[in-house]
Structure formats: structure tokens, C-alpha cells
Amino acid sequence: MAIQRRRFLQAAGVGAILGLSGCTGDAEPPQAADGDSGSQSGSDSGSGGSKQELTLATTTSTYDTGLLDELNPVFEEKFDATVKTIPQGTGAAIETARNGDADVILVHARGAEDEFLNEGYGVNRRDVMFNDFVVVGPADDPAGIEGMESAADAFATIAESEATFVSRGDDSGTNKKELLVWDASGVDPAGKWYREIGKGMGDTLVQADQSGAYTLSDRGTFLATKSKIDLEILVQGPLKGGPTILKNPYGVIPVNPAKYPDVNYSLAMAYAGFLTSPEGQDIIDSYTVDGSQLFFPNALSESPQFGQYVPEDYDGGGNASASVSDAQFEQWVAENVPEDF
């Protein structure tokens, strides 16, 4: 099992790094971070001796925005470890972990996370941070959706006018959210106006910009990319008074060692603890791009938040209804997002 896993990581690590040039719109692929050069868990990583290795499967937004470049080096130094990051859409990241090829995941699709927990593949989920999704499009707004208070109505209007919409179409957290909004709109998107490209968020934004199209984006990646594109936010998410359906919470989940005894469970738990510690939360809180805060930490709370550890429909979790989940998110926004954001 360990040999098969190392072969997967060598292939996935190279593939992910090469693929990111398309996600970010850069001409050259970024260099691998420390620990992305094929080192093995518990193996000799160089003349300095043996280091543990943590394999993190994560959504592209945490990588594309540069947030992990701030978090992972601090963790690596603190725990004398290396982090091998596999940036994928949330669906692919969860599947990587489900196959036993990751130690921990950092993703943003609570429904898929709950399925992962219910199947027994993940344990000890923790809330980490949040932002929101926004509907973006060209400044001339051919469908006339600017300022709409309902994301579902905006999507229905785009469909009715057959204005071009670019979808990630990759089973990512963003794609899952987009499909939820389409479902709420009562529209089954299809036709020449609806383009599924199977790409990451950065590349989707670039393609939407080039074709004068609309798309759904997480706010963090949009803010990190906006200097390179001419798209504008036309429908706001809940961080700026928009509909709660566009909420975007992130969670960290270690892989269950009862399923895969060879996962580095101790280091995975250390990583989850670091992200949710005061130090990790401060790094998230202070991370900005061009003066804009991209994520808001929400791991620390004086009152117990038991619902984060279990699926939302768990009968003892206390978060069985969507209305309760929405109310919790609205509380996070009220407590953590400055009024002048």
C-alpha cells in the first residue's frame, strides 16, 4: 500500500504543479514548495537527517491565493516536517483522501465533507475559516443582474438571456455550490451559452474574462486575481449583505487511521491543531492581497461548537437544519467581518 501511495504522490504532485499554471493564468508553472520534491513519510529528506512528511490534499483556492505559502512554512519549521501539497478541486481532494493517498484534507464543501465523515474516511473535522462566493461578470452586464439580492434569480436571468456562463465543471467546492444555485433557480443549465471547462478557479476567471462571460467565484481567488482581469462583482455574497446560499466555510479533516493505518495521523492531527490554533488563526486573519483580506478565521470560540466535528445531519450534532447552519454563518460574519470590509 505504501509503495502504491508513493507512486501516486509522485505523479499527482508533478501533475498538480504543472496544472497550476493554467489555474492562475501564469505563463510558467510555480516552483514546488518545500516538501514537494518527492520526499517520503519518515524517510531521509537530505543531509540534514530524517523529517516527517505530511500529504495535504486541498482545494485550489487555498493554493492559488497564496495562503498556504504563509501557513505551511511555519508549520514545517515548528514540527520539523515537510508538507506535500496536492491542490485539486474539493471533490478530487476528497477522493484522493478516500483512496488513502493523503493524510489530511482542507476543503470547502460541507455536503461532500459530511459524506466523507459518514463513510468513516475522515475523523475530527474542524472549522478553519470562511469567506463567500460572488457572481462576477463583465462591466457592461449584458444580462442585467447587477445588484440582485438573490443569486438564484441572477442565475435564472442569465439563463433566460442566454448570456455566456463559464462553469468550472470539475466537481470542486465552487462547482458544487454553483449547481446548488442552479437548482434553487429552477434551471437546468444547458446549451451553447453554458460552458463547462473542467479547470481551476483562476483559469475559469481568465476564460470568463476573455469571453465576456459570467461565472461563480470564491471571493478570495477573485480578489487575488482581479488585477489581471476586467470582471466585476455583480452579485455579492453574505460578507457584503448578499444571500446566505453563497456562504463558503472551510474545514480540515484528518484521514481515519482505522481505514488506512499507513497515514501519518499524528502529523495530520498536528496540522489540524496548527490551523485552528491562535497562531494559525492569526496568520489566516492577517493574510491580505492588495490590501484585501481573503479569509476570515473561525476556529476559536469561547462557546462549544460541537456541530463542526460531525455531519450536519447527525442526530446529536445540533446542526440538523439548513436554517441553523445559515444562522451560524451569519453569526460568524457579524463577529469576524469588519463593517467596512
Side-chain angles (χ1 to χ4, degrees):
M1 182 180 297
I3 293 175
Q4 293 175 343
R5 178 178 172 180
R6 287 197 294 269
R7 288 174 179 169
F8 170 86
L9 292 175
Q10 289 170 355
V14 172
I17 293 299
L18 292 177
L20 282 170
S21 60
C23 291
T24 58
D26 295 331
E28 297 293 336
Q31 297 298 312
D34 289 345
D36 278 298
S37 57
S39 61
Q40 300 169 10
S41 180
S43 64
D44 189 349
S45 59
S47 60
S50 178
K51 283 190 175 184
Q52 291 191 82
E53 182 178 273
L54 179 77
T55 301
L56 166 68
T58 184
T59 175
T60 57
S61 60
T62 61
Y63 191 101
D64 286 352
T65 58
L67 177 64
L68 292 181
D69 292 334
E70 299 296 315
L71 287 166
N72 286 354
V74 179
F75 174 81
E76 290 174 326
E77 182 176 2
K78 182 178 291 291
F79 289 90
D80 191 27
T82 58
V83 178
K84 176 182 287 293
T85 302
I86 305 176
Q88 306 169 291
T90 282
I94 290 176
E95 189 62 23
T96 294
R98 184 179 281 113
N99 292 334
D101 293 314
D103 302 306
V104 63
I105 59 175
L106 176 60
V107 292
H108 66 138
R110 188 59 194 267
E113 294 169 47
D114 286 352
E115 183 178 353
F116 185 70
L117 294 170
N118 273 319
E119 293 171 346
Y121 289 102
V123 293
N124 301 325
R125 183 194 178 276
R126 289 294 310 275
D127 291 328
V128 176
M129 60 189 182
F130 67 92
N131 59 17
D132 61 356
F133 293 100
V134 291
V135 183
V136 302
D140 60 356
D141 186 20
I145 66 168
E146 185 173 10
M148 283 189 171
E149 297 181 357
S150 167
D153 288 348
F155 272 32
T157 301
I158 292 170
E160 184 178 3
S161 65
E162 296 191 352
T164 304
F165 187 99
V166 176
S167 169
R168 286 182 60 168
D170 62 350
D171 196 37
S172 61
T174 304
N175 186 219
K176 292 176 185 293
K177 177 65 69 172
E178 178 210 320
L179 296 178
L180 283 175
V181 178
W182 282 120
D183 185 63
S185 74
V187 174
D188 182 12
K192 293 183 179 179
W193 62 274
Y194 185 72
R195 302 177 184 174
E196 296 179 275
I197 64 172
K199 300 290 186 179
M201 193 70 255
D203 199 31
T204 300
L205 285 166
V206 169
Q207 290 203 30
D209 179 53
Q210 291 174 347
S211 55
Y214 297 94
T215 193
L216 183 73
S217 174
D218 69 281
R219 188 185 295 271
T221 306
F222 174 76
L223 291 176
T225 310
K226 71 175 184 177
S227 64
K228 304 175 184 178
I229 57 178
D230 293 324
L231 300 177
E232 297 182 359
I233 295 176
L234 300 174
V235 177
Q236 290 285 354
L239 296 193
K240 289 200 170 185
T244 308
I245 193 175
L246 296 182
K247 64 185 179 182
N248 188 26
Y250 289 74
V252 61
I253 310 176
V255 173
N256 187 355
K259 288 281 192 181
Y260 293 105
D262 66 325
V263 299
N264 196 334
Y265 177 69
S266 296
L267 198 59
M269 286 295 291
Y271 190 74
F274 169 71
L275 292 183
T276 59
S277 70
E279 182 177 15
Q281 295 282 281
D282 284 345
I283 293 172
I284 293 169
D285 191 47
S286 62
Y287 183 65
T288 62
V289 172
D290 295 331
S292 296
Q293 185 170 345
L294 305 191
F295 303 94
F296 294 89
N298 64 334
L300 302 177
S301 174
E302 292 185 2
S303 59
Q305 302 291 332
F306 299 120
Q308 67 182 311
Y309 301 109
V310 295
E312 288 189 316
D313 61 357
Y314 177 66
D315 58 8
N319 278 333
S321 71
S323 61
V324 172
S325 178
D326 287 350
Q328 182 187 52
F329 190 88
E330 290 166 3
Q331 182 180 355
W332 289 341
V333 172
E335 292 177 351
N336 296 289
V337 181
E339 291 185 3
D340 61 351
F341 173 72

